[in-house]
C-alpha cells in the first residue's frame, strides 16, 4: 500500500494512466479506518498488478481531501486515468471491496 502525501498525490494517483488507483482517505483516530486497514492489505495482495492501493492520512495531509469532497472517513475513491470512477464511504468487507473494484478492471 502506497503512503500518499499532498505532494505525491498528483504523481501517484492522477498521472497513473496504466492502472486504477484505490485511495483510502483516513485518520489515525478513526475506528472504522483501523478495521478497514487489514482488508485493504488483503485487496492489495489479491489485485497486485491490476490496482494500485494507496492511503492518505487527512490530518497529516489536509489539502487533498477537500478537493474530492471527502466529508467522512474512511472514504475510498477509485481513480482511473486521473478521474474518480467510484466512491465507497465507510468500512467494507473484502467481498464488498472486490465487487466495488471488479467493474473497473
Amino acid at each position: 500500500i502506497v503512503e500518499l502525501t499532498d505532494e505525491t498525490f498528483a504523481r501517484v494517483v492522477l498521472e497513473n494512466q496504466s492502472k486504477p488507483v484505490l485511495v483510502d482517505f483516513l485518520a489515525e483516530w478513526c475506528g472504522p479506518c483501523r478495521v478497514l486497514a487489514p482488508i485493504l492489505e488483503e485487496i492489495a495482495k489479491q489485485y497486485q498488478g491490476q490496482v494500485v492501493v494507496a492511503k492518505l492520512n487527512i490530518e497529516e495531509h489536509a489539502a487533498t481531501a477537500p478537493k474530492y469532497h471527502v466529508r467522512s472517513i474512511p472514504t475510498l475513491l477509485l481513480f482511473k486515468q486521473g478521474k474518480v470512477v467510484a466512491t465507497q464511504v465507510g468500512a467494507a468487507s473484502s467481498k464488498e471491496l472486490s465487487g466495488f473494484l471488479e467493474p473497473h478492471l
Side-chain angles (χ1 to χ4, degrees), residues 22-60:
L22 179 64
V23 180
D24 176 23
F25 291 85
L26 60 99
E28 293 296 321
W29 51 263
C30 167
C33 298
R34 287 195 297 273
V35 169
L36 190 58
I39 296 167
L40 284 173
E41 294 281 348
E42 188 180 312
I43 289 292
K45 286 185 186 117
Q46 184 179 342
Y47 290 94
Q48 189 171 2
Q50 294 179 280
V51 175
V52 175
V53 179
K55 60 184 178 178
L56 180 76
N57 185 317
I58 64 165
E59 291 202 310
E60 294 172 8

Side-chain angles (χ1 to χ4, degrees), residues 32-102:
C33 298
R34 287 195 297 273
V35 169
L36 190 58
I39 296 167
L40 284 173
E41 294 281 348
E42 188 180 312
I43 289 292
K45 286 185 186 117
Q46 184 179 342
Y47 290 94
Q48 189 171 2
Q50 294 179 280
V51 175
V52 175
V53 179
K55 60 184 178 178
L56 180 76
N57 185 317
I58 64 165
E59 291 202 310
E60 294 172 8
H61 308 285
T64 303
K67 292 178 187 172
Y68 295 96
H69 310 290
V70 173
R71 289 182 173 79
S72 62
I73 52 173
T75 291
L76 298 172
L77 297 181
L78 184 63
F79 290 82
K80 200 167 185 181
Q81 296 183 330
K83 296 189 176 18
V84 177
V85 295
T87 303
Q88 164 77 39
V89 179
S93 70
S94 181
K95 186 176 180 180
E96 289 169 326
L97 286 181
S98 290
F100 173 75
L101 289 173
E102 288 290 336

Side-chain angles (χ1 to χ4, degrees), residues 2 4 8-23 49-54 79-83:
V2 179
L4 296 171
T8 63
F9 189 87
R11 180 175 47 79
V12 174
V13 179
L14 303 179
E15 295 171 13
N16 187 331
Q17 298 296 309
S18 59
K19 293 179 212 155
V21 183
L22 179 64
V23 180
Q50 294 179 280
V51 175
V52 175
V53 179
F79 290 82
K80 200 167 185 181
Q81 296 183 330
K83 296 189 176 18

